[in-house]
Each structure stands twice: as C-alpha cells, then as structure tokens.
Amino acid sequence: TERAPRQNVIAFAVDNDGGRAYATGDGMLTHAERGGSGGRGDMAIIGSFRLRAMVLDGNRVFYATDTELFEVPVPEPPGEHVIPRARLPFTGTVTSLALSRGRVVVAGTGGAAIYPAIEALPVVVGTPAVAVTAKPDGTELYLLDPQGTVHVVDPSTGGTSRSFSGPVGTALAYVEAPKRLFVARADTP
C-alpha cells in the first residue's frame, strides 16, 4: 500500500509500468513513477469539477468530463502549449474510460466513442455503457450495458459481433492469462 500524494482524490489510474496519476476535487493532477518517486508532480487540470474518468498511458494522461476528452503529456513539455481536447459525440454521464492499442474509448449513458487519436473523429457506438474494457491485443472492446449485457465491439468499426447476458454490474476487467472477462456485480460486494 501507499498513501495518495494529496487529499480528496476523485480519480486514480495506474499504467503498465507502475506509474500513477491522481486527480483531486480541487482541480489538481499529480503524477508519480512506480513506488511514488519522481514523476510529473502537481498541475492544474481543466474541467476537474466534472472529471468522471481517467487513464494513464505511460507518457500521457487522458481524462473525460461529461462533454470532453483531454490528453495531458507527462511530463509536461516546457513553455506554453495547448492541451489536446475533443468534444464527446454523445450526451449523458461518462461512466468509464479505457485504452486499447493507442485508441481511447469513452463510455457513458449516451453511448461510446472510440478515438484512434484525440484529434480524429471517433467511431461512435450507440449502446449505453456502464463500463468498458478491452482485450489486450486491441481486437475487441467489451461494453457492459445497464441491464447486464456485455456487447463485444470491433474497435475499428464500432460494430457489435456478439453479446451475452450477465449480472448487472458496475465495472469490467479482461484478464489475459485465463482469457476471461470479469464483471463487478452491482448487487453484492
């Protein structure tokens, strides 16, 4: 275990190398390397009072509000720069954010958007989603809808190849070793 570097953490992300990012309700983003040393330190973030989800991808932090997706470089380059951002193509509450082979996937009550790059037009999926996760090789996305159905989605087209019913849940995780999808149930701990 380790202590968060700040109080009032509203979102937390860990990348595959053990880096950590923390967002707080007072509008700060803190980045730390594995074990809590080094990293980016503190910086102000845009739209933090509505921050819904965050993921860390080595040298980038992506975070979403209910209306926009943001990309922040880690470490931040010196001097003035523009933080890339994209308007979400659906309305509703953002519920989940995932990375899949360079794509950023934003899921919410109004559907999902798959961004090949933040400045590109997203592939839009009309299925409302409580949670999203990806197969590690990037070939499939899994969207969990509010009724407990998991939709298997092609990330390049947004088309659903199959679906299966499960428990009503709040989160998804794909585990490579057993090649299994796990759903965090909404009705039991």
Side-chain angles (χ1 to χ4, degrees), residues 41-127:
D42 295 336
M43 65 181 171
I45 54 178
I46 300 168
S48 63
F49 65 94
R50 297 175 298 157
L51 187 140
R52 296 287 187 179
M54 180 173 70
V55 292
L56 177 60
D57 182 27
N59 60 354
R60 302 175 297 175
V61 174
F62 293 95
Y63 65 91
T65 67
D66 285 335
T67 58
E68 292 182 286
L69 172 66
F70 298 86
E71 177 182 349
V72 179
V74 176
E76 186 176 11
E80 297 278 325
H81 68 280
V82 175
I83 294 176
R85 63 200 299 177
R87 188 156 248 344
L88 298 179
F90 58 82
T91 58
T93 302
V94 167
T95 57
S96 188
L97 198 58
L99 294 172
S100 175
R101 290 281 190 193
R103 294 179 183 98
V104 181
V105 185
V106 183
T109 57
I114 306 164
Y115 290 87
I118 197 166
E119 62 278 343
L121 289 175
V123 173
V124 178
V125 180
T127 304

Side-chain angles (χ1 to χ4, degrees), residues 152-176:
V152 183
V153 175
D154 180 325
S156 57
T157 67
T160 299
S161 61
R162 62 192 186 284
S163 62
F164 48 93
S165 295
V168 173
T170 57
L172 280 174
Y174 184 90
V175 180
E176 181 63 26

